[in-house]
Amino acid sequence: MHPLLILLVGMATILVGIVGLRLSAFLALITAAIVVSLLAPGEAAVKIGRVAEGFGRTAGTVGVVIALAAITGKAMMDSGAADRIVRAFLGLLGIERGATALCATGYVLSIPVFFDTVFYLLVPLARSMHGRTNRNYLKYLLAIAAGAAATHTLVPPTPGPLAIAGTLGVDLGTMVLVGIVVALPAAWVGLLFAGWVDRRMPVVPPAATAAVGASAATQPLPGLIPSLLPIVLPVLLISSHTVVASMTARPGAHFAVWWALAPYTTIIGNPNLALLVSAGVALWVYARQRRVSRADLAELVDSSLMGAGFIILIFVGKAAGVGSGLVFLFLGFGVASLIKIAQGSSTVAMITAAAMLAAMLPANRGGLPFHTVYVATAIASGSLVGTWMNDSGFWLFSKMGGVTELDTLKSWTPVLAVVGVTAMVTTIVLALLVPLR
């Protein structure tokens, strides 16, 4: 069977399973993986087995990182570290630039913390700022969404970009660095567009929602440096290995310092170790700040891992068997957008699109005129386009923000589309100007 036809059958299986039959993402993805594997070339005896092997490889690659990231995020929330970062941005930029502060905070916090948690944390601040300025409430909400969505979909260790990197074989450090670069202009343009939307449809928070999630921290907060360490440390550790590996791989690289550092950065730059250090620091800050017992620490870890388990399962959307240039970027962007519109989850859209593109890309990634990381960021960009009522984020924005469904469609949906399109444009520009080959 033609590879493109197999690709379409796989997509149809996922969409029918999730949208038509209301199956969980895991069941729909594993079914599609089996169907694609059966249709793909190969001996019949190994067609089912290679799906299980693919599941094991993928879970082994990303499972530990997801679990540790979940622990880090939970510990940062419970220790007050996340709240401390929020206040630092507000203190730096001031209330008159409150929207910029909220966007920047969302941008930073969504690297280790899930989008819904970040939004829940910051919405009370949007209400508070509106109470002080009596304007720009919708801009504040959309600024949070733009900043948080950009890094949530483009920068590991959040599940979507982590899955893309694993599926496409992109070095995690490269994915982090390029993701941060691509997410920055996307969040900034999203912030500008948020101001434009706010001027055309001003929204006032309903009195009934004014108290939702507005419980201010009554306990002392940790210092800024300890609060930032769980975010900064893994980025620095993972990136150190990427930089050193890149320098030693250059033709004619004679600097002894890079070769001397390579054995050490290989160890400290391993994503599993880097995230373990991050989780350890976050738990230390939590234990020191809240004076909790070992039993409380164990309970926090257990609750974090329960939430991470389901995410690890849906990473199985990868099957073997289907097999120039910018077309792959547009294809990744388009497939991710289509799946996002159909079933609502950006993470599932990214995982599914990455699996499909991985099967279509040249076996030798050097056959591309640019680094595979740009295919990854194109897929991530597409997963932001087309969010509507089947997306849990849509309802989180509407109900937590006190915004009507119609106003959410007119604000949340286009702002995230602008963030996604801007990220895609940035991806294309970087692929042409900085191919990283």
Side-chain angles (χ1 to χ4, degrees):
M1 184 178 290
H2 193 277
L4 184 58
L5 183 57
I6 296 176
L7 171 67
L8 294 175
V9 171
M11 288 181 62
T13 303
I14 294 168
L15 296 180
V16 170
I18 294 177
V19 180
L21 302 179
R22 303 293 181 185
L23 295 178
S24 72
F26 170 70
L27 291 178
L29 287 168
I30 192 66
T31 301
I34 292 173
V35 169
V36 170
S37 188
L38 289 173
L39 295 175
E43 297 183 15
V46 302
K47 288 190 174 185
I48 300 297
R50 66 188 177 190
V51 174
E53 292 172 5
F55 175 82
R57 286 193 303 271
T58 305
T61 301
V62 302
V64 175
V65 176
I66 292 175
L68 292 172
I71 294 170
T72 301
K74 175 70 172 169
M76 287 183 64
M77 294 297 298
D78 290 359
S79 68
D83 195 16
R84 182 67 182 84
I85 294 172
V86 172
R87 296 188 183 199
F89 273 113
L90 287 174
L92 177 66
L93 297 173
I95 192 67
E96 66 278 3
R97 289 185 289 275
T100 304
L102 290 175
C103 184
T105 306
Y107 181 94
V108 171
L109 285 182
S110 271
I111 295 175
V113 182
F114 289 161
F115 174 88
D116 55 350
T117 307
V118 172
F119 194 78
Y120 185 86
L121 172 72
L122 297 181
V123 162
L125 288 173
R127 295 196 188 96
S128 175
M129 288 182 184
H130 175 267
R132 296 175 63 177
T133 62
N134 201 31
R135 57 189 174 88
N136 296 339
Y137 177 62
L138 187 60
K139 180 180 179 180
Y140 295 145
L141 290 180
L142 293 173
I144 298 169
T151 49
H152 177 78
T153 52
L154 283 158
V155 184
T158 48
L162 185 64
I164 298 174
T167 302
L168 298 181
V170 176
D171 173 72
L172 197 56
T174 302
M175 187 69 195
V176 169
L177 293 174
V178 175
I180 288 174
V181 172
V182 172
L184 193 58
W188 180 68
V189 173
L191 174 63
L192 295 179
F193 189 75
W196 183 85
V197 172
D198 180 75
R199 289 192 294 272
R200 278 151 184 76
M201 47 176 296
V203 172
V204 177
T209 65
V212 178
S215 57
T218 57
Q219 295 177 295
L221 301 178
L224 180 59
I225 292 178
S227 299
L228 285 170
L229 279 178
I231 301 174
V232 175
L233 270 179
V235 172
L236 291 178
L237 292 175
I238 294 171
S239 301
S240 69
H241 171 60
T242 302
V243 171
V244 171
S246 174
M247 296 304 295
T248 55
R250 289 187 174 186
H254 300 301
F255 290 103
V257 63
W258 299 118
W259 294 101
L261 288 173
Y264 303 101
T265 57
T266 299
I267 296 173
I268 66 173
N270 181 282
N272 295 313
L273 179 61
L275 267 295
L276 179 61
V277 171
S278 174
V281 172
L283 289 172
W284 170 73
V285 173
Y286 171 62
R288 189 189 69 168
Q289 196 67 27
R290 300 295 180 238
R291 305 293 181 187
V292 297
S293 65
R294 292 184 180 179
D296 293 326
L297 282 176
E299 182 180 352
L300 182 145
V301 171
D302 289 344
S303 63
S304 303
L305 294 179
M306 287 176 64
F310 175 73
I311 296 171
I312 295 171
L313 282 179
I314 65 172
F315 273 41
V316 73
K318 176 180 179 180
V322 189
S324 72
L326 295 180
V327 66
F328 288 109
L329 301 184
F330 288 106
L331 185 60
F333 180 87
V335 169
S337 299
L338 176 64
I339 297 174
K340 169 69 174 181
I341 293 168
Q343 53 76 47
S345 168
S346 291
T347 300
V348 172
M350 283 187 270
I351 293 170
T352 307
M356 293 175 178
L357 266 292
M360 301 178 69
L361 289 170
N364 175 17
R365 296 296 193 257
L368 290 173
F370 43 74
H371 197 287
T372 315
V373 69
Y374 295 124
V375 180
T377 56
I379 292 171
S381 304
S383 73
L384 287 169
V385 178
T387 171
W388 61 297
M389 292 183 180
N390 63 352
D391 180 4
S392 60
F394 177 97
W395 295 105
L396 177 72
F397 182 90
S398 175
K399 299 307 178 185
M400 280 292 300
V403 182
T404 67
E405 289 84 354
L406 179 60
D407 283 346
T408 302
L409 276 173
K410 293 162 64 177
S411 58
W412 157 272
T413 301
V415 164
L416 261 65
V418 165
V419 173
V421 170
T422 303
M424 178 61 176
V425 172
T426 306
T427 293
I428 294 171
V429 171
L430 289 174
L432 293 174
L433 300 181
V434 193
L436 297 178
R437 291 193 63 197

